[in-house]
Amino acid sequence: MNSIRHIELIVALGTHRHFGKAAEALGISQPALTKGIRHIENILGAPLFDRGGVVTPTVFGNIVLERGGAILGAFAELLREIELTKGIDSGRLILSAGSYPAEISGQEAVGLLSRAHPSILCEFSVKDWPAVLEDVLTARCDLGFADITEAAKHPELETALVRKCALLVVCRSGHPLTRLEQVTLEDIFEFPWAGVHIPNAAQALLPREQKPYGVVDPITGHGSPRLRVETVTGLKHIVRHSDALSALPKVLLDRDGEELNLTALPLEQPWLVLNYGFIWRRGRSLSPAAMKFRSLVHQIEKQANKGQISAPPPPL
């Protein structure tokens, strides 16, 4: 065993316990993986895996697996530090964003970043906030851009607030609830909700019996929306064509509400709050590309607060 690639092969097989799945994860053929493992075992003079039925690490294989992950992580950090030193125009940026911040400013910031620095390699994923936190904690992304309520409490994470504002309960114009002068929480339980998740702060308010708003897990007791939607764009169009309800910040309702025939209901709840910002590992330096992305987001958000979310992009 004399290269990082050898460790990658062993760790992949130890993780998946299946030659086919490990080969697929590595982007190589199964015969190539089999040949590679045999070559490493010949070099070491010891078997790393038992092949009888389920692939299982031997005592020698477990030694490599216990240390291999840390070695690969350290090597990845070494490469990352080199990329940081090279600067923004030769960098790679992996972003994980929540649906609301992605819609309000994240996607536009990526576009402006690419315009100014077309050589940057960027991956931008939109996910629920727990998945964003997991990406940051496991170093699957360089920077998270999502709800920071839970992340701010985590000892391994740092956060920076970008926006905190109320969320409005929205529906299509002409919805039955628009005929009411005052809408209650019980009223909105009687219609399907569309969204990614229901905030933890609202779980105690949900009825225990099944209601049209969503479904309750019989084991955890947690409720989730009847209509699970990963993106704000999808959410808005579903609400537009149904009796479903959802939540939007005023900045997005002002931008798209009239065009999509959406309106806000007269209902305020303390748990209906948007609280997002940047999330990164404590003690981990941000790349020039990540810092530039942050700067662009702040510029776009500043324009959005002035009701100019569709205004021409700021100078770069």
Side-chain angles (χ1 to χ4, degrees):
M1 186 169 60
N2 51 22
S3 74
I4 287 292
R5 186 57 172 172
H6 286 171
I7 297 176
E8 288 178 338
L9 298 183
I10 298 167
V11 169
L13 187 54
T15 300
H16 295 280
R17 306 297 175 96
H18 187 279
F19 275 90
K21 292 179 181 178
E24 182 179 355
L26 290 165
I28 62 176
S29 68
Q30 184 171 331
L33 175 60
T34 302
K35 182 179 179 181
I37 294 294
R38 284 177 179 164
H39 175 65
I40 298 166
E41 290 175 327
N42 288 335
I43 294 174
L44 295 175
L48 297 174
F49 295 93
D50 290 327
R51 276 88 159 169
V54 179
V55 176
T56 307
T58 65
V59 62
F60 305 105
N62 279 323
I63 292 173
V64 178
L65 292 174
E66 287 172 5
R67 299 173 180 267
I71 293 171
L72 292 178
F75 185 68
E77 282 297 309
L78 177 108
L79 295 179
R80 184 175 178 274
E81 289 298 323
I82 291 173
E83 290 300 317
L84 286 177
T85 304
K86 286 181 181 179
I88 190 169
D89 285 312
S90 59
R92 182 185 184 200
L93 179 61
I94 304 177
L95 300 166
S96 189
S99 54
Y100 287 117
E103 183 80 9
I104 294 172
S105 58
Q107 295 167 151
E108 184 176 345
V110 169
L112 294 177
L113 180 65
S114 178
R115 182 197 297 180
H117 305 280
S119 296
I120 286 179
L121 177 63
C122 184
E123 297 178 28
F124 186 84
S125 301
V126 179
K127 305 179 178 182
D128 197 0
W129 68 262
V132 174
L133 260 62
E134 183 65 17
D135 282 354
V136 176
L137 285 169
T138 57
R140 287 198 294 262
C141 72
D142 300 307
L143 183 66
F145 186 38
D147 189 281
I148 63 172
T149 305
E150 297 301 322
K153 306 172 188 175
H154 201 291
E156 296 180 29
L157 299 176
E158 293 193 51
T159 62
L161 179 66
V162 171
R163 178 185 292 269
K164 186 171 185 177
C165 65
L167 283 167
L168 307 174
V169 178
V170 299
C171 62
R172 64 173 176 83
S173 298
H175 189 284
L177 289 182
T178 60
R179 305 187 193 108
L180 302 180
E181 291 185 8
Q182 185 62 45
V183 175
T184 66
L185 194 56
E186 289 69 27
D187 291 328
I188 68 173
F189 287 145
E190 300 302 322
F191 293 89
W193 290 2
V196 175
H197 71 282
I198 296 175
N200 292 338
Q203 292 293 335
L205 304 173
L206 301 177
R208 296 301 94 188
E209 70 273 18
Q210 294 292 346
K211 289 279 189 176
Y213 79 90
V215 294
V216 177
D217 188 304
I219 298 176
T220 66
H222 276 210
S224 60
R226 180 72 58 179
L227 304 171
R228 294 279 304 211
V229 189
E230 294 297 328
T231 66
V232 175
T233 298
L235 177 156
K236 290 184 292 188
H237 284 282
I238 287 173
V239 171
R240 178 189 186 187
H241 295 290
S242 70
D243 280 340
L245 307 175
S246 193
L248 286 176
K250 186 176 184 297
V251 64
L252 290 182
L253 186 64
D254 287 347
R255 187 183 75 179
D256 303 321
E258 184 176 352
E259 179 184 350
L260 296 177
N261 205 31
L262 302 179
T263 187
L265 292 171
L267 175 70
E268 295 183 5
Q269 291 289 317
W271 51 269
L272 275 170
V273 176
L274 189 59
N275 180 46
Y276 66 82
F278 302 113
I279 308 167
W280 66 99
R281 285 288 299 266
R282 189 175 300 278
R284 195 177 197 223
S285 302
L286 291 177
S287 67
M291 295 298 292
K292 185 65 175 181
F293 173 79
R294 286 182 54 168
S295 175
L296 289 167
V297 163
H298 281 299
Q299 291 182 51
I300 296 165
E301 293 276 346
K302 186 176 180 180
Q303 288 186 323
N305 289 337
K306 296 177 181 179
Q308 300 174 350
I309 198 165
S310 297
L316 298 177

